[in-house]
Amino acid sequence: RAVEYTLYDKELRRARETLDDIEHVRSEGCKELSILHEEARMAHDAIRTVEARMKTKTNALRRNRVYLQEMERDKTEAMTHRTKVELECKELEEGIKTGKDIIKANKRKIEELNVEIAKVTKELEQNVGPKCDSARETLTHTINERDEARKKMEGLYAKQGRGQQSRNKRDRDAHLRAQIKELNETK
């Protein structure tokens, strides 16, 4: 029995040692598992945080792309508008330059015309002026002669008709004196 007890006691000690070893391994495993579980939870939280940041940044990236597209479109429109304005400016500058050239040409032409007008005016004053004055005098003289001829003609017609006009010698003499007086006043 003593041997049996010793064997049993040895076996019990071995079983206790084995059990202690197993318990020790199990407790170590639990600690490691707990640590791994904590690390997994932290990794999971970190993944969630990274996913949330990634989602936020993805949305920000999407907004930035849309904003960039709008800015590109605005830039294109601005460049198109700028090009149009530059073309208009060039056209206006060319128009101004052409206008200035035309003004210079017109001024030269006006100066040439003024010189020509002065030349023609001088020529007219020298050549045509005396002829014009002479023609005017001739016209005046001719008009006066015509008027005198008309008066004479009227006088002759009047003489022809005077015999019928006056009833007696006194009326005829009064009428003739009035005409003589009138002729003397006109001369």
Side-chain angles (χ1 to χ4, degrees):
R1 259 192 181 189
V3 175
E4 213 179 286
Y5 179 74
T6 308
L7 283 175
Y8 175 73
D9 189 41
K10 259 187 183 183
E11 218 175 284
L12 182 65
R13 267 192 247 149
R14 261 192 247 143
R16 277 189 186 158
E17 281 178 18
T18 308
L19 190 60
D20 282 341
D21 287 341
I22 291 173
E23 183 64 28
H24 181 65
V25 170
R26 186 188 71 77
S27 86
E28 288 292 320
C30 279
K31 283 181 186 177
E32 285 181 22
L33 185 63
S34 171
I35 291 170
L36 282 175
H37 179 68
E38 188 60 31
E39 287 177 358
R41 189 185 60 77
M42 286 172 56
H44 184 68
D45 289 345
I47 288 172
R48 281 188 184 164
T49 304
V50 168
E51 284 177 347
R53 271 194 235 146
M54 190 171 109
K55 187 175 181 182
T56 303
K57 290 187 179 190
T58 303
N59 288 337
L61 180 65
R62 193 175 302 124
R63 278 193 310 268
N64 287 341
R65 282 184 183 155
V66 169
Y67 182 70
L68 182 64
Q69 288 173 348
E70 289 174 1
M71 294 304 254
E72 286 291 329
R73 188 172 46 248
D74 290 347
K75 179 184 171 187
T76 304
E77 289 174 4
M79 290 301 289
T80 304
H81 181 69
R82 178 181 176 186
T83 305
K84 286 180 183 176
V85 168
E86 285 177 351
L87 286 174
E88 286 179 20
C89 282
K90 284 181 183 177
E91 288 175 2
L92 290 173
E93 286 173 354
E94 288 175 6
I96 290 170
K97 185 181 177 206
T98 304
K100 286 181 180 179
D101 292 343
I102 289 171
I103 288 171
K104 285 180 183 177
N106 287 344
K107 283 182 180 179
R108 281 192 299 264
K109 192 72 170 177
I110 287 171
E111 288 174 7
E112 290 172 5
L113 289 174
N114 284 337
V115 168
E116 190 174 329
I117 288 171
K119 184 178 166 184
V120 169
T121 304
K122 187 176 179 183
E123 185 179 310
L124 281 174
E125 288 173 357
Q126 290 176 354
N127 297 335
V128 178
K131 290 179 184 177
C132 185
D133 291 340
S134 172
R136 202 174 287 131
E137 287 174 13
T138 305
L139 177 66
T140 305
H141 182 67
T142 306
I143 289 173
N144 289 339
E145 285 179 356
R146 182 196 67 194
D147 289 343
E148 285 179 30
R150 204 177 267 159
K151 283 181 185 177
K152 283 181 184 178
M153 188 174 71
E154 287 173 2
L156 290 173
Y157 286 133
K159 269 185 180 179
Q160 284 177 353
R162 251 186 249 140
Q164 297 167 358
Q165 203 176 32
S166 303
R167 291 188 197 150
N168 59 26
K169 205 175 185 185
R170 197 184 308 154
D171 288 342
R172 183 193 72 195
D173 289 342
H175 182 68
L176 286 175
R177 281 188 193 118
Q179 281 186 348
I180 291 170
K181 187 178 179 184
E182 187 180 312
L183 284 173
N184 285 337
E185 286 176 5
T186 57
K187 288 185 180 180

